[in-house]
Every structure is written in structure tokens, then in C-alpha cells.
Amino acid sequence: MSNNKRIWIANPLGIFTGNGADAGAGLVIEGTRILELVARGQTPSVDWDERFDASKHVVIPGLINTHHHFYQTLTRALPAALNKELFPWLKTLYPVWAGLEPDMLSAATELALTELLMSGCTTAADHHYLFPSALEEAVDLQVEAAAKIGMRVTLTRGSMSLGEDQGGLPPRTVVQTEETILADSERLIQRYHDAAEGAMVQIALAPCSPFSVTTGLMRDTATLAQKYNVRTHTHLAETLDEEAFCQQQFGLRTVDYLESVGWLNERSWLAHGIHFNADEIERLGAAGVGIAHCPNSNMMLASGICQVQALEAAGCPVGIAVDGSASNDCSNMIQEVRQAMYLQRLRYGSSQVHHQHALRWGTQGSAAVLGRDDIGELAASKQADIALFTLDELRFSGAHDPLAALLLCGAHQADAVMVAGQWRVRDGKPVDIEIPALLEKHRAAAARLAAKVS
Ligand code: ZN
């Protein structure tokens, strides 16, 4: 579907390009890309077919979510899992998640993506590591769902290979053999990974965490990723329990473990990345390892506070992520960017963390974490992924600086969102998605999943 008409997003109330360029009079879209930025007081240098009046909108690059578990939208606020820290929380949920079925995953993926999209997100990474029997084609189902919603995705082929009986955390029922995992990883890369500029689907490989994966699988995954030039992803240094596990199981701290399995390189990005010492931060930065900062999840599970400034200063790309919806429990990217700003202020002080920093983490920073330079900022030739927010709710009334207001007053829903030059949200509503039907399907799936263990 080619669409080469030119749209001028004209005269925004506020705009954040991510690169300091003057786009006071907006920007022009042609096809899937941004054609030019228009400086304050100017009109486009080219003719346009359509003018979108953005005079009531704050315009930002589409937000990029770097870590999620879409399936967890089915187990939000589950009574048995409330008020726990990571390990007991996981042990409570594994048996529930083991019951996941194909239609449930499809509903969860569609719902999570729609929720993200409506919050101004245009690209999302998902870490899917549950492949019970009959759900071997989990990632295939997610590719289908993402195309239906019209979002850009990095789908990771997650995995768990270290069961409880081998000293791991998850029960035997949710782990797979290394051979099965590697064969499916290769199949998915060959079938779906698009390395080209403007890709709508990329595949990455994502063994779940040190306490659920064998070291052999970590090593072989790194080798396979190198062969196909795809990215590698895992959870690391999320909690002190995990650090103790690594010391006990491998006699190593987490970063030493990462290095020992061939992952300390710029191909890798880590979810959380909280418990690092100064030397480890230097090594991660020198290697260019990316970090997905998940503020809500880290507060909810009381895991700790990521050292975003130190990691960035060392050379790590840092992005933002909502994490799975059983530890957040929502998938709202603009709210997550706000939480990142506040949590990092708590760590570094109010004068050190500005709203522009948080917006940069959620856009350019996240793009770098996913290894992409075609998204994450508003500039000529970048992909036309844009989120537009109006400030007409009670929460914004009386606000002076529109860009600061977006985060400080707590924006939670975009008025319009464009992905690859296509409008996917208009007037606050997703295009071609029936929300009541999606809700009904998703609620029924969540109820069915919970009923399987009760
Ligand atoms: Zn996670």
C-alpha cells in the first residue's frame, strides 16, 4: 500500500524533535518518511496535499518500548501474586502462565499493542519466553497480531531451559530443550527478520534470565545471533536475589557471567540493569550494551533503581520499557516516561533530570537500545513515527510550558499517532480496531487462563 501524498503537520503547540532542530512550524511527511522539518514562522519548501492543524497538539517522536511480556496482560493484579518480590512473584505465576493457549496469546498481544499505541508508542519489543505444547508458534502469532494493529515490533524469541530440577527457578513444565529453542530461533529469523531501514518486524533472541537458562544456551544463542546479525536480549541485574543466585550457581557476579557466555557486546540489551558496581558500569559502557529501564516494574517489585546517568555516561544506550503487565500492571508508554523522570530525579536530584532527558530516553535512547537509527527522532529521512497529544483535559489546565506539561501534568493518551506515515490513532481512537470486541476477547481469555489452575 503505497501512499506518497504529502502531509504537513502544521504549527504545533509544542514539539520535541530529539535533535534540537527548529521545527516550530511542524514537519512534512511523504510516504513512510519525514520529508522535512519546517522552522518557526516558515511554510514548507515543497507543495503539500494535506495540512493537519497541530495548533492544539504537542508533537513528539513515536515512543519506543524496549521490553514487555504481552502475555502478562492476562494476569494483571492477580490476587495470589500481589505484594511480592521477584522470585516469589515468579514462582506464583509460572504455573498460571503454563496454561497459556494460542488464542489467549493473540488476544494479549493485540490488547497490549493497542494500549501502547494509544499511549503514543509506535515501536514495541516483546520478550516472549513461554512455549508450552500447542504454543510452539507463539512468535508467529505475534507477528500476525502486530500487522493487524499496524505497529513496528522487535519480537524476541525468548526461552527457558533450566528447570527447577536442574537448579533453576521455573517448573519443568515451562522449559524447553536447547535444541528445540535454537532450531525455532533460526526458523523465526529466517522467516521474519527484516534488517532493512523502515522494517516493521525484527527478530531478536532472548534467553530469559540467569536463573532460568543454561549457560550452554546463552553461549549458543550468542553464536547464532552473530551468524544472522540479530540482537540478543535478557533480564539482568534486576534483583539482589538474582545476584546471589549467580554467585551461588556460577561463582560469578552478573556482568562476569554475561561476559563468560559471550554477551558483553553491542549486540546485547538488558532489561532492568539495576545492581551494577562502578567497574561493571564502565565495562558495560565500553562494550556498548543497551539497558531497558523499567521504572514502574522496579518500584512495584521493589527491585531497586537503575543508574541511568552513570550508564549513559559510560557509553550504554539507555531506553525505557513498561515491562510485563503483571509487574506494572499497565502498558502506557507516556506514563512510563514520566515515571522514569521521577525515579531518576529521586536518584540524581531534580536539577539533573529534565523532562527532555526522559523524552530522549523513551525515543532516541530506546531506538539505540533496539539497534535502530531510522526511528526515535524527528528529522528528514527518518521514519514517520509520530505521537501527538492535546492538552485539553483538566489535568493540563493552567499549564504554561506545553512540552513540560506533557510529562509533569501526566499525559496518558495520545490524540493522534502515525506509524510509517499511516495514521493508527485519530481523535484518541485507534484506527480499524474495535475496542469493545478486543476487550471482550481479552477478558474471556484472562478468565479462562486463571480458571485452569483454580
Ligand atoms: Zn521482563
Side-chain angles (χ1 to χ4, degrees), residues 67-69 72 127 129 233 235 238 271-272 294 297 323-324 327:
H67 178 77
H68 204 309
H69 311 284
Q72 291 183 8
H127 188 174
Y129 53 81
H233 178 50
H235 293 92
E238 180 176 1
H272 309 293
C294 309
S297 172
D323 198 9
S327 66

Side-chain angles (χ1 to χ4, degrees), residues 230-263:
V230 298
R231 297 180 74 71
T232 47
H233 178 50
T234 191
H235 293 92
L236 201 82
E238 180 176 1
T239 64
L240 291 171
D241 281 350
E242 179 202 321
E243 188 176 293
F245 178 93
C246 286
Q247 290 279 13
Q248 195 186 2
Q249 186 89 356
F250 316 115
L252 297 170
R253 285 180 53 81
T254 54
V255 174
D256 297 323
Y257 166 76
L258 198 71
E259 186 165 28
S260 75
V261 290
W263 277 56

Side-chain angles (χ1 to χ4, degrees), residues 83-317:
N83 315 323
K84 289 184 161 68
E85 295 192 0
L86 183 69
F87 279 16
W89 174 85
L90 280 171
K91 287 189 150 223
T92 305
L93 285 162
Y94 283 139
V96 184
W97 294 339
L100 194 64
E101 294 172 16
D103 66 313
M104 297 174 183
L105 179 65
S106 294
T109 303
E110 286 178 33
L111 185 120
L113 285 171
T114 304
E115 199 188 347
L116 285 164
L117 182 68
M118 292 175 74
S119 74
C121 179
T122 51
T123 299
D126 192 57
H127 188 174
H128 188 82
Y129 53 81
L130 282 177
F131 295 83
S133 54
L135 194 55
E136 281 88 359
E137 301 201 331
V139 176
D140 305 69
L141 295 172
Q142 293 193 303
V143 170
E144 213 174 288
K148 190 166 161 187
I149 306 301
M151 274 180 73
R152 227 180 269 288
V153 284
T154 296
L155 297 172
T156 75
R157 203 302 179 184
S159 51
M160 297 200 289
S161 60
L162 189 71
E164 223 169 358
D165 52 342
Q166 303 160 275
L169 200 70
R172 192 76 226 161
T173 48
V174 292
V175 304
Q176 290 182 296
T177 66
E178 295 179 20
E179 295 70 34
T180 305
I181 292 164
L182 291 165
D184 194 46
S185 298
E186 194 157 19
R187 176 185 73 83
L188 289 167
I189 296 168
Q190 288 173 341
R191 176 128 191 225
Y192 299 115
H193 181 67
D194 180 359
E197 185 199 336
M200 293 300 287
V201 179
Q202 296 199 324
I203 300 291
L205 304 182
C208 192
S209 61
F211 50 83
S212 58
V213 172
T214 46
T215 52
L217 180 63
M218 287 296 283
R219 280 201 194 93
D220 292 345
T221 297
T223 307
L224 189 63
Q226 192 173 12
K227 176 178 169 190
Y228 287 99
N229 194 24
V230 298
R231 297 180 74 71
T232 47
H233 178 50
T234 191
H235 293 92
L236 201 82
E238 180 176 1
T239 64
L240 291 171
D241 281 350
E242 179 202 321
E243 188 176 293
F245 178 93
C246 286
Q247 290 279 13
Q248 195 186 2
Q249 186 89 356
F250 316 115
L252 297 170
R253 285 180 53 81
T254 54
V255 174
D256 297 323
Y257 166 76
L258 198 71
E259 186 165 28
S260 75
V261 290
W263 277 56
L264 196 63
N265 57 59
E266 61 183 14
R267 196 183 294 291
S268 303
W269 90 98
L270 310 172
H272 309 293
I274 295 168
H275 301 283
F276 298 133
N277 62 33
D279 169 63
E280 290 163 344
I281 288 175
E282 283 309 312
R283 286 160 63 202
L284 289 162
V289 174
I291 304 292
H293 174 36
C294 309
N296 271 311
S297 172
N298 298 160
M299 289 189 275
M300 145 89 178
L301 297 171
S303 303
I305 306 179
C306 177
Q307 303 170 70
V308 166
Q309 280 198 343
L311 287 158
E312 278 202 312
C316 292

